Amino acid sequence: MARVHLRYYALLREQAGRQTETVETAAQTPEALYAELAARHGFRLAQSQLKVAVNASFTDWTCPLADGDEVVFIPPVAGG
Amino acid sequence: MNTFEFTHEPLEPAALSAALADPAAGGFAAFEGRVRNQNDGRDVSRLEYEAFEELAQVEGEHIVAEALRRHGALRGRCVHRLGALAIGEVAVWVGVAAAHRAEAFAACRQIIDEIKHRLPIWKKEHFADGDSGWVNCTHCAEAARVPDFDYSRQLVLPEIGTTGQQRLAQSTVIVIGAGGLGCAVLSGLAGAGIGTIVIVDDDVVDPANLHRQPLYTPDDVGRQKAGAAAARLAAYNPTIRLRPMPVRLTAANAKEIVALGNVVVDCSDNFATKFLVNDAAVLTGRPAVLASVYQYEGQLQVVRADARGSCLRCQWPEATRDGLVGNCAESGVLGPVPAVLGSLQAMEVLKLLLDLPGQMRDEILLVDLLDLGQRRLNAPRARECNDRCARIRSVDAAAPTPELEIALPLAEAAAQGYRIIDIRNPEECAQTPLPLGGHQSIPLPRLLDAASTLDPRLRYLLVCAHGIRSRAAAEQLRAGGRGNFWSLRGGLARQG
């Protein structure tokens, strides 16, 4: 189990009802983590609509997660 | 009846006054400007008037509306003659009806003063001795005067000085979108003394824009944003050139417009335009400063494809379709949020033009104005982009695909062999079930991820409530190479 810190923006913040949270997860990758969180919070954005950054760098969905990582799922926004 | 009009026919004050009759008006004031027989001691025989009619028409109506509102008058109108006039003829007529005489006099006076001052109207005087000459309108005479704008507070910055100021004066910046972000960007750049600012926006001012777009007033509602913003900024800093372009940025004009400037700033509110700006900037080798806002948050990115930096497509290879996530109108926004992000954009433009330290590149800044948190995320250039971007096929890729939508009763579509997929979320489906059986229900997010598991030989018709999400989803899937998806035009709402 890894302990990861999450930060939500825009639609995800609304749907999660919070800006940050720390979770204990068995997910090994951001992909698995998003699936787990989407089920818990009812996220309506598809994974393919999002980007993920781990420890302040964009990364791919299958990189391994480590204890203490900070994970941000970034939804696209277009408002002006 | 227009409140301001030009005419080539003689004016008839009695008829004009009668048309402003109002039972609530206890006072009526009229002014007539007449052709007199001398000017500066010379005998005048006749006059000719000429005007820049399109501009004067709009501005004239503003003048009347402003005066009525300021003085609380009821009705007002101004009519101006054009063409040749003889001595004694009425050249301009103003009438105002108000509850009391004070408001009527005051509004009437304000209208004629502003008309003389602001409208582009020229007068040619023919003198008795046969000589003639054009008299500049006050408006134009003022424009010819070299105004003063004091940059001393930024000139003292050691990184700027007169050299830097000169560089700004020689620069051209293209601003795409004159909304919430645009107002902040434009004010910042105009104040800094950017020599030429091109304002691209085909939208008109809506009352719902005003709370976050302080370049506009309630009088501007219905006016083109590009023109209204240019007029306001020209009054603010008369030393710079403003070029309003009331057109929509499209695949056909994007490269040409972006190439007009040294830097392009994206202040648009939709993905299609953002990706067009990004692509045109990459293809023309111009830096682009992009920002977006959502409720209390914003994102900022500086695209330096001109210097081997990353671009929007390094993170988002496919343009996100509008309709898949919310915009300001749907999700709401608080005025200072675009103002902060727009100011950050203006600052990045100045850093670029002045070669100041700390320029953003290969990163995305996320700003949250509720908890004042910010994150700088590294966003490197995509691996496959060596010398040039490998992910932009052409800006024309944004053009709409033909036959994306079909308009048929659902039962008929099913009879024609389309597999129907209801992409609404489960709550919507439960509330308003699809009026036929035999369909699949795959909520939008799941569909986007699961589309590859659907049979590529079959034709799928996507259905949602109004045809917006289904269209966006079909576009997105087609952009991903899956051509067997269509959208039901108008959605269930149009099935009747």
Side-chain angles (χ1 to χ4, degrees):
Chain A
M1 295 287 273
R3 221 175 130 76
V4 296
H5 308 288
L6 287 140
R7 187 177 175 85
Y8 299 118
Y9 287 93
L11 280 175
L12 295 181
R13 172 180 49 75
E14 286 181 286
Q15 288 166 10
R18 68 197 73 190
Q19 286 175 315
T20 58
E21 68 178 334
T22 299
V23 298
E24 297 274 350
T25 179
Q28 311 272 317
T29 63
E31 191 169 33
L33 179 63
Y34 184 72
E36 184 183 313
L37 295 167
R40 183 182 311 163
H41 295 305
F43 290 152
R44 293 219 182 111
L45 288 171
Q47 182 204 307
S48 59
Q49 290 176 272
L50 303 171
K51 293 294 144 191
V52 62
V54 176
N55 300 329
S57 283
F58 280 90
T59 179
D60 61 53
W61 287 94
T62 54
C63 82
L65 286 177
D67 200 44
D69 277 350
E70 189 202 53
V71 181
V72 186
F73 298 111
I74 298 135
V77 299
Chain B
M1 179 172 84
N2 289 327
T3 57
F4 181 88
E5 253 173 41
F6 286 110
T7 177
H8 288 267
E9 305 303 319
L11 296 176
E12 290 174 28
L16 290 166
S17 300
L20 286 182
D22 188 321
F28 177 81
F31 170 83
E32 292 174 13
R34 296 179 175 174
V35 179
R36 67 182 166 155
N37 64 0
Q38 58 167 320
N39 187 23
D40 271 347
R42 296 177 74 184
D43 289 336
V44 173
S45 57
R46 63 193 169 89
L47 282 186
E48 272 175 67
Y49 280 98
E50 224 178 76
F52 180 4
E53 291 186 54
E54 294 80 359
L55 186 88
Q57 171 71 47
V58 176
E59 196 63 21
E61 292 189 13
H62 279 283
I63 288 171
V64 173
E66 283 164 22
L68 296 183
R69 206 184 53 243
R70 177 164 168 211
H71 298 286
L74 297 168
R75 307 179 63 191
R77 191 165 182 227
C78 174
V79 186
H80 204 295
R81 274 286 295 275
L82 293 178
L85 278 80
I87 303 297
E89 278 198 276
V90 179
V92 56
W93 182 90
V94 182
V96 174
H100 312 100
R101 66 184 182 280
E103 300 96 273
F105 276 123
C108 185
R109 172 74 193 250
Q110 179 173 335
I111 291 171
I112 186 62
D113 285 350
E114 292 290 310
I115 297 281
K116 300 279 273 188
H117 185 67
R118 276 159 62 180
L119 293 198
I121 299 173
W122 295 267
K123 177 166 80 169
K124 187 179 191 179
E125 291 177 325
H126 293 267
F127 298 106
D129 58 15
D131 196 9
S132 67
W134 285 101
V135 181
N136 266 353
C137 64
T138 324
H139 173 89
C140 309
E142 287 218 328
R145 199 185 68 207
V146 179
D148 221 14
F149 200 85
D150 185 336
Y151 296 106
S152 59
R153 295 299 188 275
Q154 67 190 44
L155 286 169
V156 297
L157 291 166
E159 297 81 6
I160 299 180
T162 49
T163 320
Q165 194 62 49
Q166 220 161 16
R167 208 185 293 179
L168 296 181
Q170 287 160 1
S171 300
T172 298
V173 177
I174 317 296
V175 179
I176 311 293
L181 291 166
C183 282
V185 168
L186 288 166
S187 306
L189 297 181
I194 299 294
T196 304
I197 302 177
V198 180
I199 307 170
V200 184
D201 196 316
D202 72 332
D203 207 359
V204 296
V205 179
D206 182 274
N209 296 147
L210 298 175
H211 83 119
R212 65 184 186 284
Q213 301 181 16
L215 287 178
Y216 313 116
T217 69
D219 276 340
D220 292 319
V221 168
R223 288 180 81 184
Q224 299 266 13
K225 284 187 174 180
R232 172 62 76 89
L233 294 165
Y236 165 48
N237 186 350
T239 68
I240 62 172
R241 276 184 302 279
L242 290 143
R243 203 173 147 190
M245 292 183 72
V247 299
R248 186 156 194 85
L249 195 79
T250 65
N253 64 19
K255 278 200 283 185
E256 197 185 332
I257 290 175
V258 167
L260 294 172
N262 305 96
V263 181
V264 60
V265 191
D266 169 61
C267 302
S268 69
D269 62 356
N270 63 85
F271 290 114
T273 306
K274 266 175 215 305
F275 277 83
L276 265 181
V277 172
N278 176 80
D279 295 356
V282 172
L283 295 173
T284 57
R286 301 296 195 278
V289 180
L290 317 174
S292 298
V293 295
Y294 184 89
Q295 295 188 335
Y296 306 104
E297 301 163 29
Q299 297 184 0
L300 178 70
Q301 183 173 12
V302 178
V303 168
R304 293 301 310 276
D306 60 311
R308 297 183 62 84
S310 65
C311 85
L312 204 51
R313 288 190 189 268
C314 293
Q315 277 70 50
W316 314 91
E318 289 300 337
T320 304
R321 304 293 148 169
D322 289 291
L324 292 181
V325 291
N327 59 28
C328 290
E330 296 155 2
S331 311
V333 64
L334 201 57
V337 177
V340 167
L341 269 292
S343 295
L344 290 175
Q345 285 182 288
M347 187 64 200
E348 288 304 313
V349 171
L350 297 177
K351 281 155 76 174
L352 274 165
L353 294 174
L354 294 166
D355 203 17
L356 297 180
Q359 295 176 25
M360 272 189 89
R361 60 170 286 168
D362 296 355
E363 59 190 323
I364 293 176
L365 176 72
L366 304 180
V367 184
D368 183 330
L369 290 170
L370 284 181
D371 70 357
L372 296 175
Q374 46 173 302
R375 287 280 185 291
R376 289 174 83 151
L377 304 176
N378 294 314
R381 188 171 165 98
R383 274 182 224 106
E384 71 262 36
C385 301
N386 292 321
D387 290 329
R388 50 186 306 241
C389 177
R391 293 183 167 181
I392 298 171
R393 285 177 289 272
S394 97
V395 287
D396 307 324
T401 325
E403 290 183 59
L404 186 71
E405 295 180 299
I406 58 173
L408 279 179
L410 273 177
E412 189 163 328
Q416 290 187 11
Y418 287 100
R419 302 300 169 106
I420 314 289
I421 301 181
D422 186 347
I423 65 161
R424 296 173 301 157
N425 62 48
E427 303 90 85
E428 290 178 280
C429 297
Q431 205 170 13
T432 322
L434 222 56
L436 90 170
H439 65 276
Q440 304 177 65
S441 189
I442 310 180
L444 173 61
R446 201 145 58 77
L447 173 75
L448 294 177
D449 285 340
S452 58
T453 64
L454 294 169
D455 190 338
R457 293 162 303 180
L458 296 177
R459 292 179 301 159
Y460 294 98
L461 179 60
L462 307 181
V463 179
C464 69
H466 294 100
I468 295 168
R469 283 171 292 173
S470 59
R471 185 189 156 89
E475 275 185 354
Q476 181 99 346
L477 291 167
R478 287 195 180 191
R482 286 185 282 272
N484 55 330
F485 289 87
W486 281 263
S487 164
L488 180 70
R489 185 192 297 275
L492 286 180
R494 208 177 289 180
Q495 289 285 308

